[in-house]
Amino acid sequence: MGQGNQGIRPKQSGKSAAKQPSLSQLRAFTAVAEHLHFRDAAAAIGMSQPALSGAVSTLEEALGVQLIERTTRKVLLSPAGERLAVRAGAVLEAVAALMEEAEAVRAPFTGVLRLGVIPTVAPYLLPTVLRLVHERYVDLDLQVHEEQTSSLLEGLAAGRLDLLLLAVPLGVPGVSEIPLFDEDFVLVMEQDHWLGGRADIPRDALRELPLLLLDEGHCLRDQALDICREAGRTEGAPVTTTAAGLSTLVQLVAGGLGVTLLPRTAVTVETGRNEALATGYFADPAPTRRVALAMRSGSARGGEFEEFAAALREAMRPLPVRLVAESP
């Protein structure tokens, strides 16, 4: 191996210079890059140490670049090796994703399904989702990621996520929505509040109430503000934003700091264990939100996701929601 500082070998001529690296060579190199130890790297990928060392050397020959600096005490990446380790890892991840996608096409509801869920849906709908997968899709490896809407959409676009469960409409190019249900918003307040227990609250009651909302970035905050604007609430009406989650929000309500809006699916979980809280329901038409699955338009798993949505709707029949059969 050359000892030059740059670790770059003279470009070879002929066909050998254009030789493509193999996946086995890339796996060997990325293992060494991760462990910086040949024995540990070989054990991690189930390869003998001589075979791993030979694979890395062959890769260096194919690329014409010194990737590893071997000393008597330790293994180091060359500057070029540090840069190419990132590329090699990305190639292996892309190949793994390709294999997962091919497996999903050959056998629907098998392999990995990376599901992104927003925080104002996850605690209330995931029990139904997980039960459905456990009972009906036993070969599906469901991986759940709870993030805000913007992060979920970035993950979907980048291929980090396969399917999203969130509030719509999104209005994002390249993203298709599969509607599941509509649910009403419920007003949550202190036990002795004058609106507590009512089933005919007019929307204009929101105009002057001290309203508590989630922090910036939560789509539920934007939906609640839209409802308030539709009710004629002025920009100057008091709005306190101090909660990162619905559980904290209802505790603030119980403490007398104001009222808040909860989606109907969250009411039992968030208010059932606190006797200091009361609920009230709006007169028809009540303010609502729509929850849907979202996928990349043209996804190879589109048919699978449509079938999953249909099964999920059926599983959600016991919930206090209005199922939506298809997009309007």
Side-chain angles (χ1 to χ4, degrees):
M1 176 127 356
Q3 302 298 318
N5 291 334
Q6 298 299 317
I8 305 296
R9 297 180 175 183
K11 179 179 283 189
Q12 300 175 353
S13 60
K15 293 183 179 179
S16 61
K19 186 177 181 180
Q20 296 291 320
S22 69
L23 292 178
S24 177
Q25 293 164 3
L26 293 178
R27 290 191 187 95
F29 169 51
T30 55
V32 173
E34 178 181 355
H35 295 278
L36 295 179
H37 194 287
F38 276 86
R39 184 177 66 248
D40 293 346
I45 61 174
M47 181 182 285
S48 70
Q49 189 171 333
L52 179 134
S53 180
V56 173
S57 296
T58 303
L59 178 63
E60 290 177 317
E61 291 291 339
L63 297 177
V65 174
Q66 180 182 340
L67 303 172
I68 305 295
E69 296 179 2
R70 299 171 175 82
T71 70
T72 56
R73 294 186 177 181
K74 56 185 177 180
V75 175
L76 298 173
L77 291 180
S78 69
E82 291 180 355
R83 291 176 56 184
L84 294 183
V86 177
R87 295 284 189 180
V91 169
L92 293 176
E93 288 178 3
V95 170
L98 172 67
M99 298 304 294
E100 288 176 8
E101 192 82 0
E103 177 63 24
V105 172
R106 290 196 303 270
F109 302 107
T110 61
V112 177
L113 174 59
R114 296 163 294 191
L115 177 68
V117 191
I118 56 174
T120 59
V121 161
Y124 321 113
L125 298 186
L126 277 181
T128 301
V129 175
L130 296 176
R131 190 180 310 113
L132 174 67
V133 171
H134 177 73
E135 295 176 354
R136 186 164 177 173
Y137 305 115
V138 295
D139 294 323
L140 191 64
D141 179 10
L142 181 66
Q143 300 176 1
V144 178
H145 302 263
E146 183 182 7
E147 302 168 24
Q148 292 185 7
T149 299
S150 59
S151 177
L152 292 181
L153 289 171
E154 291 173 1
L156 187 69
R160 178 173 61 85
L161 299 172
D162 304 308
L163 191 64
L164 309 181
L165 179 59
L166 72 179
V168 296
L170 300 169
V172 177
V175 175
S176 298
E177 301 169 8
I178 312 172
L180 296 174
F181 63 82
D182 295 328
E183 65 176 327
D184 294 341
F185 281 99
V186 177
L187 190 65
V188 180
M189 63 214 86
E190 285 185 277
Q191 182 62 48
D192 59 354
H193 195 280
W194 64 281
L195 290 173
R198 288 183 55 176
D200 59 348
I201 300 173
R203 290 199 192 197
D204 59 13
L206 294 171
R207 290 179 181 177
E208 302 299 334
L209 291 173
L211 190 64
L212 300 170
L213 298 176
L214 291 174
D215 289 336
E216 295 280 356
H218 289 274
C219 62
L220 186 60
R221 172 192 171 91
D222 298 330
Q223 291 162 350
L225 288 174
D226 288 341
I227 293 167
C228 291
R229 279 190 288 268
E230 291 172 2
R233 187 183 182 96
T234 63
E235 294 294 333
V239 173
T240 303
T241 305
T242 54
L246 293 183
S247 295
T248 302
L249 204 60
V250 296
Q251 293 305 314
L252 296 176
V253 173
L257 297 185
V259 303
T260 195
L261 292 168
L262 289 186
R264 185 79 181 267
T265 51
V267 171
T268 299
V269 173
E270 299 300 347
T271 68
R273 57 180 178 264
N274 195 328
E275 295 181 355
L277 295 170
T279 57
Y281 297 86
F282 290 92
D284 290 336
T288 64
R289 75 168 178 178
R290 174 163 291 187
V291 172
L293 294 175
M295 63 180 177
R296 288 182 294 276
S297 299
S299 169
R301 303 177 73 177
E304 178 184 346
F305 294 158
E306 291 278 1
E307 184 178 338
F308 183 70
L312 194 53
R313 289 189 202 99
E314 287 302 310
M316 290 176 172
R317 283 195 180 279
L319 300 179
V321 300
R322 294 181 300 280
L323 300 177
V324 179
E326 58 186 13
S327 299

